[in-house]
Each structure stands twice: as C-alpha cells, then as structure tokens.
Amino acid sequence: AVPRCKPLRHAYEKEIVLYAYFEGLDYVSTECVYAPHAYRGHARTLLKDLEATRPSTVAALGHSGRRLAVATEVATKTLGAC
C-alpha cells in the first residue's frame, strides 16, 4: 500500500483559504444541510476550547492519530450525498 500525500496536512484552514486567494484559485465552501445536527460540531467546539488553552493540541492529536493502526475489516457506513 502506498501512503497518500497530503501536502497541506499541517496547514490550518485559514491558511489554505489565504493560499487559494493569493494564487487565484477558486475556493468554494458550502455547508452540508445535515451539518447543524451533526455530532462533529460538539467535537469541533471541544477542539477549539482545547486549542485556546494549549495551541499545539490539534497538531498533537494529528500526530497521535497517524500512529494508530486501523484493522482491515473495519465496518463502515455508506455515506449519502449532501
């Protein structure tokens, strides 16, 4: 298996938007209709609160997440269209 290349993995979303703006790239940001009811909003709020306390929290979580191994027979749900 070949790992995916994610060149902007360590960049914040604001930095990516600024990069797209200065390079003249089209950047479209639309919210999924299900987003207001999604649980990820609670997780995002928690991350923002943790980051306000310790700025390196998001980077540390990303680093530890890359070290986790995922089993090959993980059950996943089929995603619907937004």
Side-chain angles (χ1 to χ4, degrees):
V2 178
R4 294 190 303 173
C5 177
K6 298 180 182 179
L8 300 175
R9 173 176 45 194
H10 298 292
Y12 288 100
E13 185 177 1
K14 291 178 183 178
E15 293 172 346
I16 295 171
V17 172
L18 283 173
Y19 175 80
Y21 174 77
F22 286 117
E23 290 294 320
L25 303 173
D26 291 334
Y27 180 81
V28 179
S29 177
T30 58
E31 188 175 46
C32 177
V33 295
Y34 302 109
H37 306 293
Y39 183 76
R40 65 183 292 163
H42 301 291
R44 183 183 297 120
T45 303
L46 174 64
L47 280 176
K48 294 295 180 186
D49 292 343
L50 290 172
E51 192 175 28
T53 306
R54 181 175 165 225
S56 62
T57 300
V58 175
L61 284 171
H63 177 69
S64 62
R66 287 187 296 278
R67 294 180 60 192
L68 290 174
V70 178
T72 55
E73 61 262 354
V74 174
T76 59
K77 293 172 69 176
T78 304
L79 297 177
C82 288

